[in-house]
PDB file of all heavy atoms in Angstrom:
ATOM      1  N   GLY A  57       8.861 111.858 200.297  1.00  0.00           N
ATOM      2  CA  GLY A  57       8.174 111.483 201.544  1.00  0.00           C
ATOM      3  C   GLY A  57       8.427 110.061 201.867  1.00  0.00           C
ATOM      4  O   GLY A  57       8.442 109.678 203.008  1.00  0.00           O
ATOM      5  N   SER A  94       1.219 106.412 182.889  1.00  0.00           N
ATOM      6  CA  SER A  94       0.693 106.535 184.289  1.00  0.00           C
ATOM      7  C   SER A  94      -0.595 107.268 184.338  1.00  0.00           C
ATOM      8  O   SER A  94      -0.826 108.197 183.550  1.00  0.00           O
ATOM      9  CB  SER A  94       1.688 107.301 185.159  1.00  0.00           C
ATOM     10  OG  SER A  94       2.943 106.716 185.166  1.00  0.00           O
ATOM     11  N   THR A 103       0.042 110.436 181.951  1.00  0.00           N
ATOM     12  CA  THR A 103       1.331 110.851 181.471  1.00  0.00           C
ATOM     13  C   THR A 103       2.038 109.709 180.704  1.00  0.00           C
ATOM     14  O   THR A 103       1.758 108.525 180.972  1.00  0.00           O
ATOM     15  CB  THR A 103       2.270 111.239 182.651  1.00  0.00           C
ATOM     16  OG1 THR A 103       2.468 110.180 183.529  1.00  0.00           O
ATOM     17  CG2 THR A 103       1.693 112.424 183.418  1.00  0.00           C
ATOM     18  N   ASP A 118     -12.920 113.724 185.891  1.00  0.00           N
ATOM     19  CA  ASP A 118     -13.733 112.600 186.124  1.00  0.00           C
ATOM     20  C   ASP A 118     -14.888 112.941 187.133  1.00  0.00           C
ATOM     21  O   ASP A 118     -14.567 113.327 188.240  1.00  0.00           O
ATOM     22  CB  ASP A 118     -12.910 111.464 186.627  1.00  0.00           C
ATOM     23  CG  ASP A 118     -13.652 110.155 186.722  1.00  0.00           C
ATOM     24  OD1 ASP A 118     -14.888 110.090 186.504  1.00  0.00           O
ATOM     25  OD2 ASP A 118     -12.992 109.110 186.989  1.00  0.00           O
ATOM     26  N   ARG A 137       6.399 113.000 166.911  1.00  0.00           N
ATOM     27  CA  ARG A 137       6.740 111.609 166.988  1.00  0.00           C
ATOM     28  C   ARG A 137       5.570 110.674 167.334  1.00  0.00           C
ATOM     29  O   ARG A 137       5.760 109.515 167.605  1.00  0.00           O
ATOM     30  CB  ARG A 137       7.877 111.390 168.029  1.00  0.00           C
ATOM     31  CG  ARG A 137       9.123 112.189 167.689  1.00  0.00           C
ATOM     32  CD  ARG A 137      10.185 112.004 168.749  1.00  0.00           C
ATOM     33  NE  ARG A 137      11.179 113.023 168.555  1.00  0.00           N
ATOM     34  CZ  ARG A 137      12.130 113.211 169.469  1.00  0.00           C
ATOM     35  NH1 ARG A 137      12.177 112.489 170.541  1.00  0.00           N
ATOM     36  NH2 ARG A 137      13.052 114.198 169.217  1.00  0.00           N
TER      37      ARG A 137
END
Side-chain angles (χ1 to χ4, degrees):
S94 302
T103 60
D118 186 353
R137 300 179 195 169

